[in-house]
Amino acid sequence: MTGYIAEMRRLVGHRTLIQCAASILCVDGAGRLLLGRRSDNHLWGCSGGSIEIDERVEDCARRELFEEMGLVPEEMTLFHINSGPEVHYVYPNGDEVSNVEIVYLCRRWRGEPATRDGEMEDLRFFAVDEIDLDQISPPIRPVIQKYIQSVK
């Protein structure tokens, strides 16, 4: 962990932080959703992470997609603001967050999906009917549920 959140963790330890984040859902031409198996909890999620001080939300989303999945988005549209008690989360290391996450949808990108920074163990495209919500990382479940509802 680097940047602003790492600095805050040095000050407050594992206490709850409000974590502002940006994420991208990548959907291919067949409507399949690209998910990555997280290396911390071994559940599936999308690319995303904390916004750094003065970083634009869109730039954070782009950076995280490239860092975690090796892709560069060519277009992004706002999909959902993920917040509330259902996305309050305690990471496996004990760090606790109250998430406010701006989520984008991306249907066009450059590159081939590839794990890059160690945060993802595996990447895979899922058809909507293949997604098992019990295998989705808890803070992103509301987003994945919303995506599934949007395409059914």
Side-chain angles (χ1 to χ4, degrees):
M1 180 186 324
T2 61
Y4 176 72
I5 295 294
E7 289 178 38
M8 292 298 98
R9 285 288 168 217
R10 284 191 288 277
L11 296 172
V12 303
H14 296 300
R15 290 180 56 203
T16 305
L17 291 176
I18 295 174
Q19 178 172 263
C20 296
S23 300
I24 297 182
L25 298 177
C26 289
V27 179
D28 72 6
R32 298 178 307 160
L33 185 60
L34 178 61
L35 297 174
R37 186 181 301 272
R38 296 176 55 91
S39 59
D40 61 354
N41 65 11
H42 311 290
L43 296 172
W44 295 93
C46 60
S47 71
S50 297
I51 298 165
E52 295 297 334
I53 292 177
D54 293 334
E55 184 177 31
R56 287 183 172 82
V57 174
E58 300 88 349
D59 292 340
C60 174
R62 287 182 188 99
R63 174 178 54 77
E64 291 289 340
L65 180 61
F66 183 71
E67 287 175 1
E68 295 177 356
M69 297 183 168
L71 301 175
V72 177
E74 291 187 342
E75 65 178 38
M76 301 173 359
T77 56
L78 182 61
F79 178 70
H80 182 63
I81 306 295
N82 190 29
S83 63
E86 61 277 6
V87 295
H88 189 113
Y89 184 65
V90 179
Y91 286 94
N93 70 356
D95 290 352
E96 192 165 349
V97 295
S98 175
N99 282 307
V100 177
E101 180 181 24
I102 296 90
V103 183
Y104 294 91
L105 191 63
C106 175
R107 296 183 185 276
R108 290 185 30 226
W109 59 80
R110 290 189 319 268
E112 292 297 320
T115 60
R116 294 179 40 89
D117 67 358
E119 290 187 44
M120 301 286 187
E121 297 172 336
D122 189 21
L123 302 178
R124 181 179 154 210
F125 282 97
F126 288 83
V128 170
D129 60 355
E130 295 177 316
I131 298 172
D132 177 358
L133 288 172
D134 291 334
Q135 293 300 309
I136 301 296
S137 189
I140 200 71
R141 277 186 198 144
V143 174
I144 302 302
Q145 286 173 315
K146 183 175 174 65
Y147 175 74
I148 291 169
Q149 291 168 351
S150 77
V151 297
K152 285 194 169 186

